[in-house]
Amino acid sequence: MVEKAPSGFKSFWDKIDDDLAHIPIAAEAEHIPMRSTDKYDLYGVRITSVGPYRLFGYLSIPKTDEILPAIYYVPKNGSVHEIIPQGTAVAVREHYVTFSLACRGMRNSDRPYAAMYPGQLTDGLESAESYVYRGIAADTIRGLEYMITRPEVDKDRISAWGNDNALLVAARRKQITHVITQPAYLFDTIKNSTKTTSYPLAEFSDYLRLHPERTSQVNEILDMYNLRWHAPYITAKTLVRADDSEGIYGPKVLAEMYEHIAGEVTIHESEQSSFKDGLFAEKWLTQEMLGSTATPIVPEHWQAFI
Amino acid sequence: MTIDRNYRCMVVKPDDFDDFWEGVLTDVACVDLDPVMEKDPLRSNEDVDVYQVFFTSIDQVRISAWYSLPKNPNGKLPAMVQLPGYQSDPPIPRDWAAKGYACISVNPRGKVRSRSQFDPGYPGLLTYNIIDKNSYSYRGFYVDAWRSVDFLLSRPEVDSDRIGAVGGSQGGALATTIAAMRSEISAVSISAPYLCGYMDAIELTHTYPFHEINDYLNIYPDRRDQVAQTLAYFDGISFAEKIKCPVILNVGLQDNVVPPETGFALFNAIASEDKVLYEYDGHGHEAGRYVHDAIIDNFFETHLKGVR
């Protein structure tokens, strides 16, 4: 039996695209000397998403005349907005254009809406229209739309790196050529939230413990974001970083999603080591974006292992 | 890469270190704790009651925290202070409550829910007023964490003789300082401790958040000595000889955020005679937690519940 996306799925996302199309990005970029060097510049960027809502991002550009591959660090589920993820070798900024976006609610994009963590994932869950994730999804897409306006970016090498949002943006925009993703809450959300007391999934079980009568409605709302339905639209080459086999989003669970991704997929089951998992991802990215002879750009304590 | 387990950090404990912190503690002693506890039905479940807590810390800054209690406890409870990482949001400590502890998870100033009076940002916190020990961000931030003990002491369900502290990364640094400065802490678990050997760390690894200091020195190279002088007052290694309670400390030998060398230096400086180091080869900043979590559980079962 072929599973089909819920009714209204296409129109829901078409409407988001339409809303974005009618709002100018209106980008402003301001140089940040403290976090720039002779090898790269950092800019604080402000852009507008649906609402309208003004967002903030960090754009890092190597000092070179070449066009370069780009990494889009998609909005995460947490308050802190980083330039590049904690623990990433700073030298990455010498070789890639990087853009890190804070979606609405995150620090730097928290006026007027300052999200709580936990809390953000169930804000406005009373209806599809009021649910905050509609805006967050739009913000994530808008970040990519801004990136591709940058002349420094090689349009054939744009990767999205992060959580579920990396898959969402790749499903909605073909300009994403590569994805590195660690799904955490948007695949069969309610079904999987009942298996854990850990956040972020526990936000949903907390909510339904207090509002059990809304289960069906919440399922319908979340189904619009379910990666199960987005997977067939993803043509990018994709690295899926799965939990270990004991985790909620282990390879077996995620197979129902990633087997439907249209692009080539590499699955990596967590080795319960941030070093081993991180090194695998860095090697994969380097091979895809810089070529098989390039040396992965990794922190000092990983360099003996490349 | 061979890790030097006898690595010595360049930090020198200032001669007036104890006087400085005694003055800070004198200041905070004058501040009314004014604790408020509000039950959070959304985060409570069938096993655990969760409360949002607010109290006042130094400089009259209002601090928030999560407080979790097991439902239907028998008698006074052992208690835990859970300390947060640098960029992560402080967790709701339901797991500790489910294991039978009263547990506070504090949001020091600048963290989400404690941002209204002080908010240097991320990046930003690590270098805020970094050339002035009297207004450096971590002066208040540390005190906010230590103040959690005062909250626990105000609670009738807590056994004040059985309070532990636990944390990883920045939480490991905060656990180090709270064990040093609060004698009520009777056992401490420190994982991948950040904020130790700052000036070494910024050379040993080039990743955020330590790299915030390099960013700062990039535009203010003439301030390097001032920066080092300030940070010596806030370095976990400077606090280490004051720790007398049982300690476990774990490091990942491939830690890409906190150099393991500084973790070894901290461990070697800790004065407690009851200390055990766990090193995890093949592991990064998670410092082997998939294995080590059970060791932490057993450690506190032994020291706070008398289970052997």
Side-chain angles (χ1 to χ4, degrees):
Chain A
M1 190 178 85
V2 177
E3 292 182 300
K4 295 177 91 172
S7 66
F9 181 83
K10 183 175 184 304
S11 59
F12 177 86
W13 287 96
D14 285 348
K15 180 68 168 63
I16 289 176
D17 287 343
D18 191 53
D19 288 352
L20 282 167
H22 285 87
I23 296 174
I25 295 177
E28 294 176 299
E30 186 174 338
H31 190 240
I32 302 176
M34 180 184 278
R35 310 211 187 275
S36 302
T37 70
D38 57 347
K39 294 179 176 163
Y40 47 76
D41 285 309
L42 187 72
Y43 298 87
V45 174
R46 295 203 179 273
I47 57 176
T48 301
S49 180
V50 299
Y53 197 101
R54 201 77 170 148
L55 305 171
F56 181 86
Y58 286 118
L59 174 71
S60 181
I61 301 176
K63 282 184 168 158
T64 172
D65 293 332
E66 297 175 42
I67 59 167
L68 292 163
I71 305 173
Y72 175 27
Y73 296 114
V74 297
K76 61 180 189 176
N77 175 240
S79 68
V80 170
H81 173 220
E82 303 158 295
I83 299 166
I84 55 175
Q86 172 178 288
T88 303
V90 172
V92 160
R93 294 171 58 193
E94 298 172 23
H95 301 272
Y96 294 90
V97 175
T98 69
F99 183 56
S100 158
L101 181 69
C103 66
R104 64 194 62 200
M106 289 178 72
R107 190 178 281 275
N108 298 332
S109 296
D110 53 358
R111 292 180 187 174
Y113 168 61
M116 291 292 121
Y117 299 89
Q120 181 217 45
L121 290 178
T122 58
D123 268 353
L125 198 44
E126 291 70 33
S127 72
E129 294 72 30
S130 62
Y131 185 38
V132 72
Y133 223 88
R134 185 183 189 279
I136 291 169
D139 299 345
T140 305
I141 296 167
R142 174 75 0 149
L144 184 274
E145 290 177 341
Y146 168 69
M147 274 196 90
I148 59 178
T149 69
R150 298 297 314 190
E152 303 89 347
V153 170
D154 179 350
K155 307 302 184 292
D156 294 326
R157 293 182 292 170
I158 301 178
S159 58
W161 181 307
N163 61 10
D164 312 66
N165 290 333
L167 290 168
L168 272 188
V169 68
R172 299 306 305 172
R173 293 292 183 273
K174 302 302 179 204
Q175 291 96 337
I176 296 290
T177 61
H178 296 78
V179 173
I180 296 179
T181 182
Q182 188 166 15
Y185 52 86
L186 286 184
F187 176 58
D188 288 356
T189 301
I190 298 304
K191 177 182 167 187
N192 287 304
S193 73
T194 60
K195 300 176 186 171
T196 182
T197 56
S198 297
Y199 296 99
L201 272 173
E203 286 202 38
F204 299 99
S205 44
D206 285 354
Y207 182 88
L208 292 178
R209 187 184 314 109
L210 219 56
H211 307 290
E213 74 286 359
R214 293 186 187 158
T215 301
S216 173
Q217 187 187 8
V218 165
N219 252 319
E220 281 181 27
I221 293 168
L222 293 175
D223 222 15
M224 295 296 160
Y225 307 93
N226 193 337
L227 299 177
R228 176 183 292 277
W229 313 125
H230 289 279
Y233 298 96
I234 299 167
T235 56
K237 289 184 83 168
T238 300
L239 170 61
V240 176
R241 305 173 71 181
D243 293 344
D244 63 79
S245 57
E246 302 293 312
I248 299 297
Y249 284 129
K252 195 172 170 187
V253 170
L254 288 179
E256 290 187 50
M257 181 274 292
Y258 70 72
E259 285 178 354
H260 298 288
I261 290 176
E264 181 183 326
V265 174
T266 301
I267 182 86
H268 180 255
E269 178 179 335
S270 173
E271 299 175 66
Q272 299 189 331
S273 159
S274 58
F275 156 62
K276 292 175 182 171
D277 297 345
L279 186 62
F280 186 93
E282 293 291 355
K283 285 181 174 176
W284 187 90
L285 183 76
T286 301
Q287 178 161 325
E288 295 296 331
M289 304 290 275
L290 300 178
S292 57
T293 58
T295 302
I297 304 159
V298 296
E300 282 82 349
H301 291 78
W302 296 8
Q303 287 172 1
F305 302 89
I306 55 176
Chain B
M1 182 176 188
T2 304
I3 307 294
D4 180 1
R5 287 161 179 77
N6 294 308
Y7 185 87
R8 295 182 65 86
C9 291
M10 62 182 86
V11 62
V12 176
K13 183 178 174 181
D15 291 340
D16 63 344
F17 179 87
D18 290 340
D19 291 341
F20 171 73
W21 284 110
E22 199 171 302
V24 172
L25 291 179
T26 300
D27 288 347
V28 74
C30 300
V31 177
D32 180 11
L33 187 67
D34 190 17
V36 171
M37 235 172 97
E38 297 169 359
K39 187 167 180 182
D40 190 332
L42 180 62
R43 305 300 171 201
S44 300
N45 61 28
E46 49 277 9
D47 301 319
V48 171
D49 285 324
V50 174
Y51 299 84
Q52 293 197 44
V53 163
F54 304 90
F55 58 79
T56 306
S57 184
I58 197 165
D59 308 323
Q60 299 294 326
V61 172
R62 201 72 176 150
I63 301 301
S64 72
W66 297 104
Y67 184 53
S68 296
L69 291 171
K71 282 210 159 104
N72 305 315
N74 287 322
K76 292 223 173 199
L77 294 166
M80 192 68 68
V81 182
Q82 184 170 16
L83 289 321
Y86 187 75
Q87 54 92 22
S88 59
D89 297 306
I92 300 173
R94 296 197 296 204
D95 290 353
W96 284 107
K99 293 173 195 165
Y101 299 87
C103 185
I104 185 168
S105 170
V106 64
N107 304 301
R109 62 193 63 196
K111 284 280 189 189
V112 70
R113 290 186 167 85
S114 299
R115 294 172 52 192
S116 61
Q117 293 165 272
F118 179 82
D119 192 18
Y122 297 86
L125 176 71
L126 188 56
T127 58
Y128 180 84
N129 288 350
I130 197 168
I131 58 166
D132 174 22
K133 65 179 186 292
N134 292 308
S135 59
Y136 181 48
S137 52
Y138 275 99
R139 171 181 171 272
F141 200 94
Y142 281 178
V143 171
D144 301 342
W146 306 345
R147 198 75 162 152
S148 302
V149 176
D150 293 323
F151 172 78
L152 291 175
L153 296 176
S154 77
R155 297 301 310 162
E157 66 273 12
V158 167
D159 181 347
S160 59
D161 291 330
R162 294 187 292 158
I163 299 176
V166 62
S169 192
Q170 179 185 260
L174 295 172
T176 300
T177 65
I178 201 171
M181 301 302 288
R182 296 302 304 245
S183 59
E184 298 90 345
I185 298 296
S186 50
V188 62
S189 167
I190 301 163
S191 299
Y194 178 51
L195 308 182
C196 296
Y198 295 75
M199 300 306 286
D200 296 77
I202 63 173
E203 303 295 338
L204 289 165
T205 192
H206 291 81
T207 63
Y208 287 104
F210 265 128
H211 198 69
E212 287 184 34
I213 297 172
N214 286 324
D215 285 346
Y216 181 90
L217 293 174
N218 185 40
I219 57 167
Y220 301 116
D222 54 316
R223 297 182 187 174
R224 193 175 191 90
D225 288 347
Q226 284 175 278
V227 166
Q229 285 165 17
T230 299
L231 293 177
Y233 290 88
F234 299 88
D235 197 307
I237 294 169
S238 297
F239 286 90
E241 68 177 19
K242 298 171 84 71
I243 299 176
K244 304 292 166 47
C245 66
V247 181
I248 55 173
L249 190 154
N250 59 306
V251 297
L253 297 189
Q254 288 78 37
D255 194 329
N256 52 323
V257 177
V258 172
E261 292 88 342
T262 60
F264 286 119
L266 172 66
F267 181 80
N268 293 336
I270 288 173
S272 172
E273 293 178 358
D274 185 353
K275 61 180 182 178
V276 181
L277 176 72
Y278 298 84
E279 55 180 74
Y280 291 93
D281 195 7
H283 289 268
H285 194 49
E286 101 291 349
R289 72 176 175 83
Y290 295 93
V291 171
H292 195 73
D293 280 355
I295 293 170
I296 293 174
D297 283 350
N298 288 337
F299 173 74
F300 286 117
E301 289 263 319
T302 299
H303 290 287
L304 301 184
K305 292 185 178 177
V307 177
R308 295 196 180 267

